[in-house]
Every structure is written in structure tokens, then in C-alpha cells.
Amino acid sequence: MRAPVPAVDMICQQNDMPMHQMHQTKKSIRKPDVVILPLNSACAPFQDEKGSKKGKQTGKQKSKQKDRQKNDEKDDEKNDEKNDEKDDGKHNENDDGQRQTRRKAHMDMNATAKPQNLPWKDVLACIEFKRKTKGIKAPPSSYTLTDYAPTKPEYLPVDHLRTADPAPAPPQTPATQTASDTAFAAQSSGLTAAQPSRGGSSSKRKATDTLESAAKKSKGNHDDKDADADLDADADADLDVTVQTGLYAAEMFAANLAVNYLLNIIVVDDVAWIWYYDRQGIIQCSGINFIQDLPRFMVLLYALQRFDLHDWGRNKDFLPIEVEGKLCHEVKIDDENLGEVDLLLHTSHDERVKHYGLQGRATNVVPVTSEALMKKYGKFEDGMVAKIFWGEASRTSEPEILKKVEEIAKRHATVQGHVPELLWHHRFTNPTSAIREALDVPEPTTGSRVLYILVFRKLFPITQLHGKELFDVWRQCILCHVTLWKEGVYHRDVSPGNLMWYWRGDKRIGVLNDYDLSSLADDPGPRGNERTGTVPFMALDLLTKEGQRGEVKHLYRHDLESFMWCFAWISLRYKNGAPLPRRLRPLDEWATLDAVACGEKKYVFQGHMTASAPSGSGIDGVTWDFLVDSFLVLKKDADERYYLRLKRSSSSGEGQQPNAYDPEPDAFLSRFTSLEGWTKLGKLE
């Protein structure tokens, strides 16, 4: 049996105090009942042994604290080694005594005090308590070794979450990032009482291009002040306990980089359940009655006591280090061609894009520096970024798709220079299916995910642009997209976060970004009916119940329609690269709705456009006229398909798929390029 791990030195910290975390520009507030964290992390928010606040220490006190921490780390390493020499034995006993003294001092003086700042990045697990019954059965007078007796219930029921409103979540990402994935697993995973979540869907259920992409609309008046208010932790108290712990897991995921998995514990009366979260889904263990089955519960604690950080789910390939007072992560990978590739991920940088959620790709975009890559490519004026995400193991990988895109770019000027430049990539060998195979979970590889890291040159978001400059970059992305589609590369996730640009001399070059949900025409197996996209920008056909069930094939016209929704969104939400005040952003609600409800809102918007732009939007007349004409084209096309479908259904007696009509890409695009507004906006001053 492995010895306890002194480097972690786990302690349970009574909490129930608000824990804050920034998600881009918004702050979340959660209040878990109890958190498990390393002793050093538990002590940090409190006073030191001399009574000085950590934030107000003198230089000498800080130095002594650092020396003590360094000594603790050295002692921990020594304690891991077996040494039979007498002197060393005494030394280790003294070290253990000192650590026990520190722990006791913390517990006696500070365990019931209120910590000032307990960061989520230090939390190893959360424990949430609920009391359901008036009485708990008394413990037996003695315990004997028996077979496991299932608790009642053996698994916490979660079927009710399928139809419940999603849990309140912080806004996910600004418009400068790629969209993320499922915001909360319990609702979308199909999790049942005795069945783990299987994941497998690549649908981007929530818009994460927007600052207000929350899973539930905030209550109250939506003036500018209220719109920027922090999320209230008290709202969590009314949520199901499985949702609460899921939100805690989402916070822990967001606070750390490339986490493999997380554990939380739910305690209801005298029964504890362990919940395991990774990017494929959730696995719930059967309950343990820690009063009636105390020996088995003690074995669990005995095992947890021996966990190192890797056992708690932290990724040992991403080493946290401090550079100039800022938290970074260092990654070193052996590469066949370059030798050792060093990556310094600037995870504390303001431009880092985090993901808030449980399942899915969990894309993080982080500024990165690398001596090895700089030696190969030279120094990029705008720098580099690393894209870290959990891609589906069964899907054609983004590097493979980008290789195909590069081949197309050599033959077509509309693609060359308009796609991201992949500098380096690596696929880790840690599929999420491994634990499911070990546990004999049904269909363990369905939805299995694996960690990728890709390095690109840095690009600029299209939301920085306005008017004709916006149109120019947007148009370049459309021309790149249609060429790729005809060549057999189907993007299928057009959103503002995937439309980027960079400078080439004095000209802006549009880039169609993010191919990890794309597919190839020669991919084996069906891909066309998968629900891919970012909800506010998806075509109306795909936002129907049929579309969400995968009964509508994803066609070129759906992607082109997404381009139109993107152009409207950016034009009505931003002015000169800055978001308008909340009261002047009427489309923000789309990002808070589920797919079908969002489709209904967009349908109303399309059918009720006025001759003049909304007051206060700042959109010019030429751009608004182009938007009106474009949506009239889409509406006319939808009406024609509707009448054609009705006519054929009445003559044949059989219904047809809503998208049986599939115009040729160039012909459909010409309906927009022939508009007067396209020509006017295309003339840059």
C-alpha cells in the first residue's frame, strides 16, 4: 500500500464562504460546504504563526515563510525515501512533528475563521451536504466484515435534470475566442441514476462568443449596472445537489489547465456518493453509508490520503511555475523532428480564454512562448497562442483537417493565407475511455476524448472591426469557406469567434479559424447530420426539434446563413470594436436560450426587420440595408423550400426532409453577392 503523500498533506477545510473566480470579465460566486485542499493552501488565506496577515507581511516574514515552504518540500521528498539510518529516522520524526504542529495550530486557531481568499485552483475536491430525513439510524455496537450492501437509493437520481432549466453559469467567453462546448453536463448528458454520462455529442449548445452567454437568464432589471453584476451564490442554494456539485467541478476545471478529471463528494444524511467528472461525461459511484458501513468508508479515506496531485486529476505534463510574479505552466514534449519542444503557457495573461463547463472540448487559448519554435520560425510580431482542448478520439483530428486545408490552399488563392498557420501540435495518450473500460461501463469509447495542444500564430478577432472593414474581412472568410466546401472540407461551425484576421502589409487578411468540428467529404461514417454549431449563429433549419435530433443534414446553405447571422450580431452588438451598452444589444438574449427557443427568436427577428436600423445601434444605412436584403433572401429561400415540400408531399403522399432542396454552393452564394449592398460595402475607401 502506498504511503501517505506529505507533498499534498490533504486537509478538509470548513468553507461555506463565497469563493470568487473571474471568467473573462464576469465573476462567479460559489459556496461549497467543505473543500479538500493541501494544508499550505488552507493556511495561506489566514494569519501566520506570528499573527500577521498574509497580505501584510514584512519582507523578513515573507522570506521566512518561503524558506519554511521550501524546507517542507525538501522534507516531503526525504520522507518519500526509506532510510534505515538512525539519525535520519530522528530527523524525519522531527519533521513529521513540526508538520503536525503546524496543522494543529491551523485547526485550533483558524479552522472556524473566515478565509479572505480561497482560490479554486487549490481545491482538490468539494463535499456538499444535504439533510433529507429527521433521524439517522444509530451506528452498530461493533462492525464485522461483510459484502457491500447497496444504499437506498444506490445512485442519486438525476432524470429530473433532463427537463429542468440549466443551472446558473457565468458568462463563458468574449467574442474573441472560439466557442466552447456543453455548459453543463447533467442536463445534456442523458445521465441516469445508474448510468454514467456517455457524452458523444459535438453540438455547441451555448454561445460562448458573448459576454452574456449564461445558461440561465439573470433576474431583475437589466440596466447597465445590473448587467455587470456578479453572479449570486445564494441562487445555488435552491439547485439540486447534483447541479451544485457540477458547478463546483466547472469552477475547478476553469481554474486549472488541462485537468484530466475531478472528484466531488455528495453527502445526503448518512450516505456519501463520489462523482467523477471528465470531458467525456460523469460517472457516479454507488453510495456508501459511512455510519453503518464505517470500515468501507475508512478504506476510502485511507485511499484518498495517499493521493498525489496526479491522482486528484491534475495533469503532470503541465507544470505550474511562477514567472515574474505571474502563474504560468511549463510543458516539455519530445518531438521527432524538433527534439524537445518547450512551451511556456502564460495562463495568467489577460488574453487567456478559458472554458466554463463540464463536457466537451473545453477549449483554452493561451499566449505562449517557445525557444524551440522561435528557433524554427523566427519571432512573430504579434506572438503565438496555444489551443488546448479535448477532441473526440473517433473524429478526424484538427491537425489532419488542416493538412488537407493546406493542400487546397496551394491550388486556390481564396484559401491561401486565409486559414490558420499551424506551427506545432501534439496529441496526448490519455483517452477518457480508459477508466470506463476499466469499470466495464457500457459503450466506453462512445464520445471518448483525448487532449490536444496546437500552437498557432496569433490572430485578431473580427469583432474589432466595423462597417466596410468588417465586411471586407467577413467577405474574405466567406470566399475561403465556399472554396473549402467545394473541395470537401466542411467547416460547419461559423461563428464570430472563428472569424479572425491579421495584417499583411497595410491590408487586413481574413482567416476562417477553428476546424476541430469540421469534417471531410471522404470521412468514413455519417457526419452530415451531427448537431454542430454555436446556437445563436446556427441556421434556422438546425434549430428546430428535428434539427436537434439530427434529422436535418448540414448543408452549405446552413453555413452561409450562419455567416449572415454573424454579420448581424457583430453589427448590432459592437461599435468600433467595443460592445454597446447592454440596453442597446437586443440580440444578447439569443445566447441564453436553448436551441429551439433561440430559433424561434431568430425567426421573429428575421420576419420583423424594419426599413431603418434600431436607434442607438450605430449601424450605418448601407450596412443595415444589406442586412435587410440578405435576410429577405434567406426568408424567400425558406418559403420556396416550404411550398416545394408541401407540393411534393401532397402529390406523393409522403413527407420530405426539410432540407431536401440543396442548391449548388456558388449559385446560392450569388444570391448575396449580387445584392447592391455587397457591391457598395466591397468598395473600401
Side-chain angles (χ1 to χ4, degrees):
M1 172 67 73
R2 183 194 301 176
V5 182
V8 174
D9 210 4
M10 177 184 72
I11 188 170
C12 290
Q13 170 73 53
Q14 177 183 343
N15 189 16
D16 205 24
M17 287 296 296
M19 293 180 62
H20 306 268
Q21 183 167 208
M22 293 302 299
H23 299 273
Q24 273 58 253
T25 60
K26 294 291 184 178
K27 181 190 294 183
S28 66
I29 306 175
R30 307 287 178 209
K31 296 170 62 176
D33 290 336
V34 172
V35 293
I36 300 176
L37 68 166
L39 177 61
N40 284 340
S41 300
C43 293
F46 297 94
Q47 295 179 340
D48 65 11
E49 67 274 13
K50 291 192 175 183
S52 298
K53 290 292 184 181
K54 293 293 179 181
K56 300 180 180 179
Q57 288 177 306
T58 64
K60 184 179 294 185
Q61 289 171 337
K62 290 180 180 179
S63 177
K64 287 183 178 181
Q65 181 189 350
K66 290 182 179 179
D67 290 342
R68 184 174 65 245
Q69 290 175 344
K70 290 181 179 178
N71 290 334
D72 285 346
E73 293 173 0
K74 291 180 180 178
D75 294 340
D76 291 341
E77 294 176 1
K78 291 179 180 179
N79 288 337
D80 286 338
E81 301 175 357
K82 289 186 178 180
N83 196 320
D84 295 330
E85 295 182 8
K86 186 176 182 180
D87 292 340
D88 287 345
K90 290 182 178 179
H91 179 71
N92 289 340
E93 289 177 5
N94 291 335
D95 293 337
D96 290 341
Q98 291 175 5
R99 186 162 44 250
Q100 290 173 6
T101 300
R102 288 187 61 216
R103 184 188 293 109
K104 186 177 187 302
H106 167 72
M107 295 175 69
D108 290 345
M109 298 175 59
N110 300 317
T112 59
K114 296 181 179 181
Q116 299 300 312
N117 180 28
L118 188 61
W120 278 105
K121 68 179 180 62
D122 293 337
V123 176
L124 303 176
C126 295
I127 308 176
E128 194 71 10
F129 293 87
K130 296 295 179 184
R131 186 72 180 269
K132 298 290 186 181
T133 60
K134 295 182 178 180
I136 295 177
K137 187 177 179 181
S141 58
S142 63
Y143 293 93
T144 58
L145 182 63
T146 61
D147 292 334
Y148 170 75
T151 58
K152 294 183 180 180
E154 184 174 1
Y155 300 95
L156 283 176
V158 292
D159 282 348
H160 61 286
L161 297 178
R162 292 180 177 180
T163 56
D165 287 335
Q172 306 205 4
T173 59
T176 59
Q177 86 162 94
T178 56
S180 67
D181 315 285
T182 309
F184 185 63
Q187 182 182 1
S188 63
S189 64
L191 186 67
T192 59
Q195 175 188 5
S197 166
R198 298 179 182 178
S201 173
S202 295
S203 177
K204 296 186 179 177
R205 306 291 301 181
K206 298 295 175 189
T208 54
D209 171 72
T210 166
L211 296 173
E212 283 69 38
S213 178
K216 189 174 183 180
K217 291 179 288 185
S218 58
K219 298 178 181 180
N221 297 326
H222 294 292
D223 58 26
D224 291 341
K225 183 176 179 180
D226 291 336
D228 294 330
D230 295 334
L231 296 164
D232 189 356
D234 293 336
D236 290 356
D238 296 329
L239 299 173
D240 186 274
V241 64
T242 57
V243 178
Q244 284 182 285
T245 51
L247 291 170
Y248 304 153
E251 298 287 351
M252 294 156 67
F253 270 131
N256 294 278
L257 194 63
V259 174
N260 291 319
Y261 59 84
L262 294 170
L263 300 176
N264 278 335
I265 301 175
I266 297 176
V267 179
V268 179
D269 294 332
D270 53 357
V271 179
W273 289 268
I274 297 178
W275 284 60
Y276 171 99
Y277 308 83
D278 64 17
R279 297 308 187 177
Q280 185 174 346
I282 304 172
I283 302 175
Q284 177 190 177
C285 81
S286 53
I288 300 176
N289 189 309
F290 52 85
I291 294 181
Q292 305 303 321
D293 199 358
L294 181 60
R296 187 168 274 103
F297 183 69
M298 293 301 296
V299 171
L300 169 63
L301 296 182
Y302 193 76
L304 295 179
Q305 187 184 26
R306 282 148 179 78
F307 273 20
D308 58 24
L309 290 177
H310 180 62
D311 296 321
W312 284 107
R314 300 300 194 266
N315 195 319
K316 57 186 176 183
D317 291 314
F318 292 72
L319 302 178
I321 63 172
E322 192 172 287
V323 178
E324 298 180 353
K326 298 289 187 179
L327 176 65
C328 298
H329 284 78
E330 186 178 53
V331 181
K332 293 184 177 180
I333 303 293
D334 290 329
D335 185 89
E336 294 181 0
N337 301 318
L338 301 179
E340 184 180 77
V341 174
D342 62 300
L343 301 177
L344 183 61
L345 303 168
H346 300 270
T347 41
S348 297
H349 200 286
D350 292 339
E351 293 184 358
R352 176 191 172 185
V353 176
K354 297 192 294 185
H355 170 268
Y356 183 88
L358 295 181
Q359 285 182 279
R361 299 177 304 150
T363 301
N364 271 248
V365 181
V366 187
V368 61
T369 53
S370 169
E371 292 184 6
L373 296 182
M374 189 168 62
K375 186 181 297 183
K376 178 179 180 181
Y377 295 101
K379 186 176 181 179
F380 290 96
E381 182 179 351
D382 299 316
M384 300 181 294
V385 295
K387 177 181 177 181
I388 303 161
F389 66 99
W390 291 85
E392 280 194 70
S394 62
R395 177 183 290 274
T396 304
S397 69
E398 185 170 8
E400 291 178 274
I401 292 176
L402 287 175
K403 185 177 180 180
K404 173 73 171 177
V405 168
E406 289 175 4
E407 295 173 357
I408 297 171
K410 295 176 182 178
R411 305 191 302 269
H412 296 276
T414 53
V415 178
Q416 190 171 26
H418 298 283
V419 291
E421 181 180 358
L422 179 60
L423 305 176
W424 181 82
H425 70 276
H426 179 74
R427 171 175 169 150
F428 294 87
T429 56
N430 55 340
T432 56
S433 59
I435 188 173
R436 290 164 174 78
E437 293 174 337
L439 296 175
D440 291 327
V441 172
E443 302 180 26
T445 60
T446 300
S448 177
R449 294 185 176 272
V450 65
L451 184 64
Y452 287 88
I453 182 167
L454 282 60
V455 179
F456 299 93
R457 67 176 296 180
K458 182 182 174 183
L459 301 170
F460 299 106
I462 196 172
T463 53
Q464 291 182 352
L465 306 178
H466 191 73
K468 293 187 176 181
E469 290 78 13
L470 167 65
F471 176 83
D472 182 49
V473 168
W474 175 80
R475 177 186 58 82
Q476 293 177 53
C477 293
I478 286 181
L479 298 181
C480 173
H481 175 274
V482 70
T483 303
L484 290 176
W485 191 282
K486 291 187 294 183
E487 291 288 334
V489 177
Y490 307 143
H491 192 278
R492 304 196 309 164
D493 183 26
V494 175
S495 67
N498 295 337
L499 306 179
M500 313 290 285
W501 63 276
Y502 65 94
W503 287 106
R504 182 192 290 167
D506 59 352
K507 180 177 175 56
R508 294 182 180 87
I509 304 299
V511 174
L512 182 62
N513 201 31
D514 195 358
Y515 292 78
D516 53 359
L517 283 186
S518 302
S519 63
L520 302 177
D522 54 0
D523 267 353
R527 293 288 186 192
N529 284 46
E530 285 184 327
R531 299 171 299 156
T532 58
T534 307
V535 169
F537 316 109
M538 292 172 67
L540 295 181
D541 281 353
L542 303 178
L543 296 178
T544 60
K545 294 179 180 179
E546 295 81 6
Q548 290 301 294
R549 290 197 298 264
E551 298 173 5
V552 178
K553 185 178 180 180
H554 197 128
L555 304 173
Y556 169 75
R557 61 177 174 82
H558 293 138
D559 269 15
L560 187 56
E561 182 178 336
S562 292
F563 273 105
M564 302 304 159
W565 291 115
C566 289
F567 194 76
W569 176 277
I570 299 169
S571 299
L572 292 172
R573 193 176 191 275
Y574 297 87
K575 183 176 182 180
N576 298 324
L580 293 167
R582 175 63 182 266
R583 65 180 183 276
L584 299 178
R585 304 201 303 259
L587 309 187
D588 279 13
E589 183 186 13
W590 298 355
T592 68
L593 303 173
D594 62 49
V596 175
C598 181
E600 293 170 352
K601 289 287 185 180
K602 290 169 65 176
Y603 180 81
V604 172
F605 172 86
Q606 184 188 56
H608 294 80
M609 297 186 74
T610 59
S612 57
S615 60
S617 64
I619 189 171
D620 62 88
V622 175
T623 300
W624 179 253
D625 289 344
F626 173 68
L627 281 173
V628 171
D629 290 343
S630 296
F631 282 107
L632 285 175
V633 170
L634 291 174
K635 190 175 187 305
K636 182 179 179 181
D637 176 73
D639 291 341
E640 289 175 351
R641 286 185 282 107
Y642 173 73
Y643 291 126
L644 181 62
R645 187 166 68 253
L646 281 181
K647 184 177 180 180
R648 290 183 176 178
S649 298
S650 60
S651 61
S652 63
E654 298 180 358
Q656 288 195 336
Q657 216 183 25
N659 62 339
Y661 170 67
D662 183 18
E664 193 272 332
D666 283 332
F668 191 69
L669 177 58
S670 67
R671 302 185 187 184
F672 300 90
T673 59
S674 61
L675 294 174
E676 182 181 4
W678 184 287
T679 303
K680 288 183 178 181
L681 290 172
K683 296 178 180 178
L684 282 174
E685 295 179 355

